[in-house]
């Protein structure tokens, strides 16, 4: 029932090329974030999510900019619960 913010997303993946994470909140705000480093062998990467986004529900999409294949092993989000209820 509370609004949440996400500071970072941690992804276990392997990819050839630059990866971007699309974040959509329940207010239909859509932001794109480029992963800081993408391992060519299975490993962890992270992305910082903007502090202005807060929502109860979050949708995510992961894409490879060049259209190459990638493997997603894990996704870890650490929500910060805000004191305001919806």
């Amino acid at each position: 029932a509370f609004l949440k913010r996400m500071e970072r997303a941690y992804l276990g993946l392997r990819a050839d090329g630059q990866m971007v994470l699309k974040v959509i909140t329940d207010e239909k705000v859509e932001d794109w974030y480029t992963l800081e480093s993408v391992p060519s062998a299975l490993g962890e990467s992270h992305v910082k999510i903007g502090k202005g986004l807060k929502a109860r529900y979050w949708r995510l999409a992961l894409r490879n900019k060049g259209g190459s294949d990638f493997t997603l092993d894990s996704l870890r989000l650490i929500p910060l619960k805000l004191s305001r209820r919806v």
Side-chain angles (χ1 to χ4, degrees):
F2 289 92
L3 291 174
K4 293 164 237 14
R5 280 194 345 210
M6 303 287 175
E7 286 188 356
R8 292 178 189 253
Y10 296 91
L11 299 101
L13 59 88
R14 173 181 52 224
D16 298 325
Q18 193 66 37
M19 301 293 294
V20 292
L21 181 69
K22 179 168 106 172
V23 177
I24 304 169
T25 61
D26 34 308
E27 289 98 27
K28 307 291 190 238
V29 174
E30 181 179 307
D31 281 332
W32 292 85
Y33 299 96
T34 302
L35 274 69
E36 294 188 5
S37 63
V38 179
S40 58
L42 194 58
E44 188 171 79
S45 183
H46 72 277
V47 61
K48 293 180 184 178
I49 298 175
K51 289 188 177 187
L53 292 179
K54 57 186 172 186
R56 183 172 178 192
Y57 298 105
W58 295 72
R59 291 184 295 166
L60 305 170
L62 183 63
R63 296 198 178 148
N64 188 314
K65 277 187 176 180
S68 301
D69 290 334
F70 65 91
T71 302
L72 179 65
D73 180 56
S74 63
L75 172 64
R76 186 169 41 113
L77 301 169
I78 302 170
L80 298 171
K81 185 174 77 169
L82 303 176
S83 59
R84 183 170 172 235
R85 285 183 182 235
V86 178

